[in-house]
Amino acid sequence: METPEQRIKIAVQKTGRLTDHSIDLLERCGLKLTQSKDQLFLYGENMPIDLLLVRDDDIPGLVSEDVCDLGIVGLNVVEETRQRLLANGGEPRFRQVFELDFGHCRLAIAAPDGTGYSDLSSLNNQRIATSYVHILNDFLDENGIDAEAVYFSGAVEIAPKLGKAEFICDLVSTGGTLAANGLVEVETLLESEAVVIQTEERLSEAKQALVDRMLQRLDGVLQVRESKYIMLHAPRAALAEIRDLLPGSEAPTVMPLDGADDKVAVHAVCRENVFWETLENLKSAGASSLLVLPVEKMLA
Ligand code: PRT
Ligand code: ZN
């Protein structure tokens, strides 16, 4: 059994929008987990890897300070923490390693419907309510706008009704919350999704090897999500054209077909989705017996 120092820790949101996706992703990397009694951890049963369950806002800090070696968190939180650390003379000691394609949203400025907004200069001398003070101030500075960021820890969308601000700057996904509060988006500051961050602290050799192994598995799981294995028969004469039609595939395997000299079997891993249109185009180019299979695991 490893000592606690030899186990790696991954910071994951305890309860919220990212929780299920994050745990599911790590389980697909082969990690089997059991919950601790205090519900602060999920222990890895089959690998020396534990998940620390925390508020999403704490994740970049925990990774920066190497309390955790890796973390899964929204880019919005990563960027806000980075800007805050820099503004306070600190140093963000984490780096982003993967985008995860879940938790999509955008950080946007919105105004009550009917506000006369023409361009960024309309924000001059206005108050903007937000939980993302550092990203917002950075954006305002970059654009030479003189506006006041008013900190709100939650329910930012009611700030204009309370007379606390003329604009808000908050996360938007469907836009339903803005619409329900009579607000319209006027500017986008950041497109966000969940990302994996890694500490920049130097790790022991054993821990670094474990982190690298986990990152390689994550890479495999992320690649597999979009990948398909495609098999087809092709006339030799149409091989070049068919090869060009295979979406996102590297060198396909080409094999002879027993008793058919003018035809070959083509097998390829396509790293993009294979749509019906692609299959129809392949068929028009002469392909037959087309088969598309999901890929379960991949190790580059
Ligand atoms: O307790 P803890 O601090 O961990 O959770 P939290 O309440 O801060 O976070 P949570 O679970 O709400 O969100 C976690 C992460 O999910 C965020 O940091 C984003 O990276 C991502 N995410 C994706 C979102 C949204 N979509 C989202 N729509 N986070 C928040 N929202 C909120 C937004 O603030 C607004 O209130 O949903 C509302 C808008 O949604 P729509 O669909 O009406 O536009
Ligand atoms: Zn939070």
Side-chain angles (χ1 to χ4, degrees):
M1 181 77 187
E2 312 79 16
T3 62
E5 296 75 46
Q6 288 168 319
R7 297 179 70 84
I8 65 167
K9 282 192 218 66
I10 307 180
V12 167
Q13 191 187 23
K14 186 177 169 110
T15 13
R17 291 169 199 261
L18 306 182
T19 308
D20 290 349
H21 284 294
S22 304
I23 293 172
D24 176 61
L25 178 66
L26 295 167
E27 285 180 338
R28 277 189 283 137
C29 291
L31 201 55
K32 291 202 164 55
L33 298 161
T34 44
Q35 183 119 28
S36 67
K37 285 209 182 69
D38 56 13
Q39 310 213 325
L40 281 176
F41 284 96
L42 286 175
Y43 290 115
E45 290 173 32
N46 58 337
M47 291 176 86
I49 298 177
D50 303 317
L51 311 193
L52 183 60
L53 304 173
V54 290
R55 289 200 54 192
D56 66 345
D57 316 73
D58 296 333
I59 293 175
L62 289 166
V63 175
S64 189
E65 288 152 25
D66 193 30
V67 178
C68 293
D69 308 281
L70 297 170
I72 299 179
V73 63
L75 182 60
N76 49 303
V77 176
V78 173
E79 279 310 310
E80 180 64 11
T81 309
R82 188 195 304 279
Q83 312 266 11
R84 178 168 46 78
L85 287 171
L86 291 172
N88 296 333
E91 193 192 348
R93 298 201 45 77
F94 51 77
R95 64 169 170 273
Q96 184 185 321
V97 276
F98 292 119
E99 291 175 347
L100 296 174
D101 201 19
F102 62 81
H104 285 279
C105 56
R106 55 195 180 275
L107 184 65
I109 296 180
D113 201 2
T115 304
Y117 186 88
S118 52
D119 56 27
L120 278 174
S121 66
S122 307
L123 297 173
N124 272 320
N125 306 315
Q126 304 292 306
R127 295 166 302 169
I128 309 173
T130 190
S131 314
Y132 293 86
V133 171
H134 292 94
I135 298 180
L136 175 59
N137 275 332
D138 202 54
F139 174 82
L140 295 172
D141 283 352
E142 261 177 26
N143 290 286
I145 302 296
D146 184 16
E148 185 193 349
V150 181
Y151 179 74
F152 258 63
S153 61
V156 175
E157 63 279 358
I158 61 169
K161 282 194 198 114
L162 297 176
K164 299 284 184 194
E166 288 71 40
F167 290 83
I168 71 158
C169 171
D170 197 13
L171 299 175
V172 183
S173 50
T174 61
T177 305
L178 290 185
N181 287 280
L183 298 162
V184 287
E185 265 176 274
V186 293
E187 298 289 341
T188 302
L189 277 61
L190 176 79
E191 294 283 350
S192 181
E193 67 188 283
V195 296
V196 176
I197 51 170
Q198 175 180 15
T199 184
E200 286 192 326
E201 289 298 323
R202 202 179 158 76
L203 304 180
S204 71
E205 218 173 293
K207 269 181 124 182
Q208 189 61 54
L210 200 52
V211 167
D212 291 345
R213 195 165 147 214
M214 202 58 198
L215 292 178
Q216 192 175 46
R217 287 193 187 188
L218 271 167
D219 188 41
V221 168
L222 297 174
Q223 288 198 37
V224 153
R225 257 200 319 223
E226 287 278 282
S227 297
K228 294 281 179 282
Y229 193 76
I230 183 162
M231 304 198 282
L232 55 86
H233 292 173
R236 272 187 195 280
L239 197 52
E241 190 185 346
I242 285 177
R243 214 181 263 217
D244 287 347
L245 285 170
L246 291 171
S249 83
E250 287 148 27
T253 309
V254 179
M255 290 162 288
L257 272 174
D258 208 15
D261 288 346
D262 57 337
K263 275 191 170 183
V264 286
V266 179
H267 289 195
V269 173
C270 295
R271 288 170 196 268
E272 291 166 26
N273 222 334
V274 180
F275 297 104
W276 280 110
E277 289 74 14
T278 311
L279 294 185
E280 286 157 5
N281 292 340
L282 285 164
K283 199 167 160 56
S284 305
S288 57
S289 306
L290 289 133
L291 209 57
V292 182
L293 306 171
V295 175
E296 194 181 293
K297 289 194 178 64
M298 193 187 271
L299 200 61

